[in-house]
Amino acid sequence: MKKIRKIAILTSGGDAPGMNSFIRAAARTAIANGIQVVGIEEGYAGLLAGKFRDLSNPTSVSNILTEAGTVLYSARCEEFKDPKYQELAAYICRSNNIDGMIVCGGDGTFMGATKLSALGIPTVAVPGTIDADVTSTDYTIGFDTAMNTVIEMVDNLRATCESHARCNVVEVMGRNAGHIAVRTGIAVGASAVAIPEVPFDEEEAIEKIKTQRLNGKRGIIVIVSEGLPGYAEKLAKKIEEETGITTRFCVLAHVQRGGCPSLEDRLTASEMGAAAVERLIAGKSNVVICKNDGKICDVDIMKALTLDKLYKGKLTEEEIAAIPPEDKAWMDERCAVLKARTEEYYRLANLIR
Ligand code: ADP
Ligand code: F6P
């Protein structure tokens, strides 16, 4: 097993609050183990451009815990999908004596990590995305803070809805997943929540809003996931037409990626950052650090990506048949747990509205 003397860290894809806690924990864990550590600015684009920053001094990651975003910056890099640029990246790593890489991002970032691992650069991935749409892990860095931001923003909307007896339909992020929407929908007391995973009964929701108004409810909030593109605006018009309640619509958008990282994000990001370095020291590569049932573990990235596609219905029959039976059993169980969890939150959102 090759001794790890120098590691590099990068953040990629959409930034997420808590990424700085991850960077700090990874850098400090490396330093504590006598390993030199460099940060790469702007994700894979920065790797190709050689944008390295030495982090071997513990003070280089001081005072970053409380900031959202990522001090290493993030970027999306289309070129990196091209094998020619992946080879170049591996060459740059070797030329800079990098014995291991840690990348933090979503499933796109993990794809990049598998390429680097295959080219002989041991790489460990850490899930950093507000969307929590990485199927192999219960938790992704940024999810908790983003949801807290949503509830803070919607609580503010609630006041004006109440004052003017209006409805406000709010579109929240999450890419193709309704995890943010369904949880914040419960937390803000929404009258309806629409997510991509469960069919939304529009007529039933509108009837409910009518009844609530008849019962004296003034302010009405509806949460819609961005995974239903364009639906929030359409629904706002329909609610106004059918109920006569003045209805506004808003998209919370990138404000959800800001905010002071919550305890949960700081804690999990710190655990994951330390675990990533420890996995590299232990000789592991091509794994993603996960947190399931409250425990840190690691999952082979290819297995994690296959599971993700299985859950999202992106595998052909042949691809599903090619999954080794022991992996398939684990994947089926994981998919069932996640599906049941989302459906239960959806049920609750509609029960206690
Ligand atoms: P996220 O990591 O949040 O899912 P993206 O899907 O935008 O965000 O991916 C982040 C970056 O990961 C991309 O800009 C690209 O550099 C890299 N990446 C994505 N897909 C691949 C791929 N198939 N092969 C290599 N690199 C990839
Ligand atoms: O993946 C995080 C995320 O914020 C999603 O919720 C959203 O769909 C997307 O990124 C927005 O991406 P961009 O930064 O390219 O606008």
Side-chain angles (χ1 to χ4, degrees):
M1 192 170 76
K2 193 174 177 226
K3 187 168 162 45
I4 302 282
R5 291 195 177 83
K6 183 175 178 182
I7 63 162
I9 306 170
L10 64 79
T11 50
S12 160
D15 64 306
M19 278 185 168
N20 286 329
S21 307
F22 148 75
I23 294 167
R24 172 181 174 273
R28 293 258 167 96
T29 305
I31 295 166
N33 282 280
I35 295 169
Q36 200 186 338
V37 51
V38 290
I40 296 171
E41 295 178 354
E42 297 180 340
Y44 293 119
L47 172 57
L48 291 173
K51 291 190 179 173
F52 291 5
R53 192 198 295 170
D54 187 43
L55 300 179
S56 297
N57 183 333
T59 58
S60 56
V61 288
S62 291
N63 300 324
I64 63 172
L65 270 174
T66 53
E67 303 296 327
T70 156
V71 292
L72 290 178
Y73 318 129
S74 191
R76 293 196 162 101
C77 174
E78 274 304 303
E79 276 177 343
F80 199 73
K81 295 179 182 169
D82 179 340
K84 195 169 72 209
Y85 287 98
Q86 294 159 10
E87 298 266 3
L88 174 63
Y91 170 78
I92 292 171
C93 288
R94 275 191 287 274
S95 312
N96 285 276
N97 302 316
I98 290 167
D99 302 314
M101 282 281 298
I102 303 176
V103 301
C104 180
D107 52 3
T109 302
F110 298 175
M111 279 303 295
T114 62
K115 309 294 178 186
L116 285 176
S117 298
L119 289 165
I121 310 297
T123 304
V124 172
V126 168
T129 164
I130 63 164
D131 305 330
D133 60 350
V134 176
T135 314
S136 56
T137 180
D138 284 348
Y139 201 82
T140 62
I141 297 168
F143 182 48
D144 188 59
T145 308
M147 290 192 294
N148 281 307
T149 302
V150 170
I151 64 173
E152 189 185 337
M153 297 295 129
V154 177
D155 287 350
N156 290 349
L157 282 173
R158 172 77 73 188
T160 179
C161 286
E162 199 65 25
S163 305
H164 289 265
R166 282 178 182 162
C167 172
N168 211 310
V169 179
V170 185
E171 183 189 285
V172 301
M173 275 186 168
R175 211 179 278 253
N176 300 311
H179 304 308
I180 293 179
V182 78
R183 287 164 178 76
T184 57
I186 294 171
V188 301
S191 296
V193 181
I195 60 171
E197 292 91 337
V198 185
F200 179 63
D201 189 339
E202 188 180 276
E203 287 313 316
E204 194 259 351
I206 290 174
E207 283 312 307
K208 180 78 193 181
I209 291 170
K210 283 184 189 162
T211 310
Q212 287 181 330
R213 176 50 61 91
L214 283 176
N215 289 341
K217 191 170 177 67
R218 290 177 60 84
I220 289 163
I221 297 288
V222 173
I223 301 285
V224 176
S225 160
E226 70 168 347
L228 298 168
Y231 185 60
E233 189 167 16
K234 214 175 111 219
L235 182 62
K237 283 202 188 93
K238 187 110 186 246
I239 292 171
E240 183 158 303
E241 276 163 21
E242 296 205 8
T243 65
I245 300 170
T246 303
T247 303
R248 299 283 192 254
F249 142 76
C250 77
V251 182
L252 287 189
H254 295 77
V255 70
Q256 292 159 96
R257 301 220 300 236
C260 180
S262 68
L263 174 131
E264 193 58 52
D265 278 325
R266 295 185 200 192
L267 188 61
T268 303
S270 301
E271 289 178 288
M272 288 183 167
V277 176
E278 285 164 359
R279 294 317 193 263
L280 281 176
I281 294 171
K284 287 203 175 185
S285 173
N286 208 35
V287 293
V288 53
I289 305 296
C290 298
K291 190 173 190 179
N292 289 325
D293 300 323
K295 285 197 210 94
I296 296 288
C297 58
D298 61 75
V299 175
D300 176 82
I301 299 184
M302 285 319 294
K303 197 165 136 182
L305 289 171
T306 305
L307 164 67
D308 211 58
K309 286 191 190 143
L310 181 71
Y311 184 68
K312 293 169 186 166
K314 291 183 185 163
L315 291 183
T316 62
E317 289 299 320
E318 293 75 43
E319 286 168 330
I320 294 174
I323 301 172
E326 62 282 12
D327 287 353
K328 181 70 171 33
W330 172 76
M331 289 182 193
D332 285 343
E333 194 195 330
R334 184 92 200 127
C335 290
V337 166
L338 291 187
K339 189 167 179 289
R341 191 178 292 160
T342 303
E343 287 173 358
E344 176 57 7
Y345 277 133
Y346 188 80
R347 188 187 74 80
L348 269 185
N350 289 297
L351 177 72
I352 58 180
R353 62 194 169 176

